[in-house]
PDB file of all heavy atoms in Angstrom:
ATOM      1  N   THR A 255       6.350   0.250  -4.423  1.00 93.00           N
ATOM      2  CA  THR A 255       5.455  -0.291  -5.418  1.00 93.00           C
ATOM      3  C   THR A 255       6.228  -0.512  -6.701  1.00 93.00           C
ATOM      4  O   THR A 255       6.908   0.321  -7.245  1.00 93.00           O
ATOM      5  CB  THR A 255       4.297   0.728  -5.774  1.00 93.00           C
ATOM      6  OG1 THR A 255       3.573   1.052  -4.543  1.00 93.00           O
ATOM      7  CG2 THR A 255       3.383   0.169  -6.753  1.00 93.00           C
ATOM      8  N   ARG A 266       2.932  -6.619  -6.322  1.00 90.00           N
ATOM      9  CA  ARG A 266       3.481  -5.297  -6.790  1.00 90.00           C
ATOM     10  C   ARG A 266       3.770  -4.339  -5.611  1.00 90.00           C
ATOM     11  O   ARG A 266       4.640  -3.487  -5.774  1.00 90.00           O
ATOM     12  CB  ARG A 266       2.537  -4.632  -7.756  1.00 90.00           C
ATOM     13  CG  ARG A 266       2.515  -5.352  -9.108  1.00 90.00           C
ATOM     14  CD  ARG A 266       1.614  -4.628 -10.089  1.00 90.00           C
ATOM     15  NE  ARG A 266       1.016  -5.552 -10.979  1.00 90.00           N
ATOM     16  CZ  ARG A 266      -0.030  -5.324 -11.727  1.00 90.00           C
ATOM     17  NH1 ARG A 266      -0.656  -4.121 -11.642  1.00 90.00           N
ATOM     18  NH2 ARG A 266      -0.470  -6.218 -12.542  1.00 90.00           N
ATOM     19  N   ARG A 317       1.365   4.226   5.079  1.00 96.00           N
ATOM     20  CA  ARG A 317       1.248   4.424   3.635  1.00 96.00           C
ATOM     21  C   ARG A 317      -0.004   5.272   3.279  1.00 96.00           C
ATOM     22  O   ARG A 317      -1.037   4.987   3.857  1.00 96.00           O
ATOM     23  CB  ARG A 317       1.242   3.114   2.897  1.00 96.00           C
ATOM     24  CG  ARG A 317       1.224   3.247   1.405  1.00 96.00           C
ATOM     25  CD  ARG A 317       1.040   1.817   0.745  1.00 96.00           C
ATOM     26  NE  ARG A 317      -0.196   1.242   1.144  1.00 96.00           N
ATOM     27  CZ  ARG A 317      -1.414   1.478   0.595  1.00 96.00           C
ATOM     28  NH1 ARG A 317      -1.487   2.325  -0.418  1.00 96.00           N
ATOM     29  NH2 ARG A 317      -2.501   0.907   0.973  1.00 96.00           N
ATOM     30  N   ALA A 321      -3.631   8.356  -4.919  1.00 95.00           N
ATOM     31  CA  ALA A 321      -4.623   9.343  -5.356  1.00 95.00           C
ATOM     32  C   ALA A 321      -5.097  10.250  -4.191  1.00 95.00           C
ATOM     33  O   ALA A 321      -5.796  11.178  -4.440  1.00 95.00           O
ATOM     34  CB  ALA A 321      -5.833   8.616  -5.958  1.00 95.00           C
ATOM     35  N   ARG A 343       7.041  -6.052  19.142  1.00 98.00           N
ATOM     36  CA  ARG A 343       7.645  -4.872  18.368  1.00 98.00           C
ATOM     37  C   ARG A 343       9.054  -4.691  18.710  1.00 98.00           C
ATOM     38  O   ARG A 343       9.390  -4.525  19.905  1.00 98.00           O
ATOM     39  CB  ARG A 343       6.825  -3.630  18.602  1.00 98.00           C
ATOM     40  CG  ARG A 343       5.406  -3.696  18.002  1.00 98.00           C
ATOM     41  CD  ARG A 343       4.717  -2.347  17.980  1.00 98.00           C
ATOM     42  NE  ARG A 343       3.371  -2.508  17.653  1.00 98.00           N
ATOM     43  CZ  ARG A 343       2.512  -1.432  17.409  1.00 98.00           C
ATOM     44  NH1 ARG A 343       2.953  -0.247  17.536  1.00 98.00           N
ATOM     45  NH2 ARG A 343       1.222  -1.662  17.101  1.00 98.00           N
TER      46      ARG A 343
ATOM     47  N   GLU B 226      -8.655   5.927  -2.803  1.00 97.00           N
ATOM     48  CA  GLU B 226      -8.392   5.716  -4.184  1.00 97.00           C
ATOM     49  C   GLU B 226      -9.300   4.643  -4.718  1.00 97.00           C
ATOM     50  O   GLU B 226      -9.305   3.546  -4.143  1.00 97.00           O
ATOM     51  CB  GLU B 226      -6.885   5.312  -4.442  1.00 97.00           C
ATOM     52  CG  GLU B 226      -6.516   5.132  -5.858  1.00 97.00           C
ATOM     53  CD  GLU B 226      -4.982   5.254  -6.180  1.00 97.00           C
ATOM     54  OE1 GLU B 226      -4.301   5.705  -5.246  1.00 97.00           O
ATOM     55  OE2 GLU B 226      -4.666   4.951  -7.340  1.00 97.00           O
ATOM     56  N   ASP B 259      -8.861   1.670  -2.015  1.00 96.00           N
ATOM     57  CA  ASP B 259      -7.684   1.689  -1.141  1.00 96.00           C
ATOM     58  C   ASP B 259      -7.874   2.912  -0.191  1.00 96.00           C
ATOM     59  O   ASP B 259      -7.984   4.054  -0.723  1.00 96.00           O
ATOM     60  CB  ASP B 259      -6.365   1.870  -1.929  1.00 96.00           C
ATOM     61  CG  ASP B 259      -5.147   1.722  -1.159  1.00 96.00           C
ATOM     62  OD1 ASP B 259      -5.205   1.320   0.044  1.00 96.00           O
ATOM     63  OD2 ASP B 259      -4.058   2.076  -1.662  1.00 96.00           O
ATOM     64  N   GLU B 272       0.583   3.634  14.939  1.00 96.00           N
ATOM     65  CA  GLU B 272      -0.459   2.565  14.758  1.00 96.00           C
ATOM     66  C   GLU B 272      -0.947   2.668  13.314  1.00 96.00           C
ATOM     67  O   GLU B 272      -2.255   2.724  13.129  1.00 96.00           O
ATOM     68  CB  GLU B 272      -1.566   2.708  15.741  1.00 96.00           C
ATOM     69  CG  GLU B 272      -1.104   2.707  17.230  1.00 96.00           C
ATOM     70  CD  GLU B 272      -0.356   1.432  17.557  1.00 96.00           C
ATOM     71  OE1 GLU B 272      -0.549   0.389  16.946  1.00 96.00           O
ATOM     72  OE2 GLU B 272       0.467   1.513  18.493  1.00 96.00           O
ATOM     73  N   ARG B 322      -1.450  -0.400  -6.992  1.00 88.00           N
ATOM     74  CA  ARG B 322      -1.067   0.813  -6.246  1.00 88.00           C
ATOM     75  C   ARG B 322      -0.012   1.548  -7.057  1.00 88.00           C
ATOM     76  O   ARG B 322       0.875   0.905  -7.636  1.00 88.00           O
ATOM     77  CB  ARG B 322      -0.448   0.465  -4.866  1.00 88.00           C
ATOM     78  CG  ARG B 322      -1.413  -0.382  -4.021  1.00 88.00           C
ATOM     79  CD  ARG B 322      -0.818  -0.565  -2.631  1.00 88.00           C
ATOM     80  NE  ARG B 322      -1.368  -1.665  -1.913  1.00 88.00           N
ATOM     81  CZ  ARG B 322      -2.519  -1.532  -1.212  1.00 88.00           C
ATOM     82  NH1 ARG B 322      -3.212  -0.448  -1.224  1.00 88.00           N
ATOM     83  NH2 ARG B 322      -2.984  -2.604  -0.548  1.00 88.00           N
ATOM     84  N   HIS B 324       2.919   4.677  -7.387  1.00 88.00           N
ATOM     85  CA  HIS B 324       3.918   5.432  -6.595  1.00 88.00           C
ATOM     86  C   HIS B 324       4.471   6.489  -7.482  1.00 88.00           C
ATOM     87  O   HIS B 324       5.062   6.212  -8.517  1.00 88.00           O
ATOM     88  CB  HIS B 324       4.971   4.495  -6.047  1.00 88.00           C
ATOM     89  CG  HIS B 324       5.700   4.968  -4.854  1.00 88.00           C
ATOM     90  ND1 HIS B 324       6.435   6.135  -4.892  1.00 88.00           N
ATOM     91  CD2 HIS B 324       5.800   4.505  -3.602  1.00 88.00           C
ATOM     92  CE1 HIS B 324       6.933   6.360  -3.678  1.00 88.00           C
ATOM     93  NE2 HIS B 324       6.558   5.339  -2.911  1.00 88.00           N
ATOM     94  N   GLU B 340      -5.836  -2.688 -11.926  1.00 96.00           N
ATOM     95  CA  GLU B 340      -6.322  -3.984 -11.660  1.00 96.00           C
ATOM     96  C   GLU B 340      -6.660  -4.136 -10.132  1.00 96.00           C
ATOM     97  O   GLU B 340      -6.113  -3.416  -9.306  1.00 96.00           O
ATOM     98  CB  GLU B 340      -5.323  -5.065 -11.965  1.00 96.00           C
ATOM     99  CG  GLU B 340      -5.016  -5.089 -13.457  1.00 96.00           C
ATOM    100  CD  GLU B 340      -3.778  -5.962 -13.780  1.00 96.00           C
ATOM    101  OE1 GLU B 340      -3.900  -7.183 -13.824  1.00 96.00           O
ATOM    102  OE2 GLU B 340      -2.697  -5.394 -13.894  1.00 96.00           O
TER     103      GLU B 340
END
Side-chain angles (χ1 to χ4, degrees):
Chain A
T255 303
R266 289 182 211 165
R317 182 186 62 82
R343 292 192 189 186
Chain B
E226 180 157 350
D259 187 11
E272 304 301 335
R322 303 186 197 278
H324 202 298
E340 296 168 82

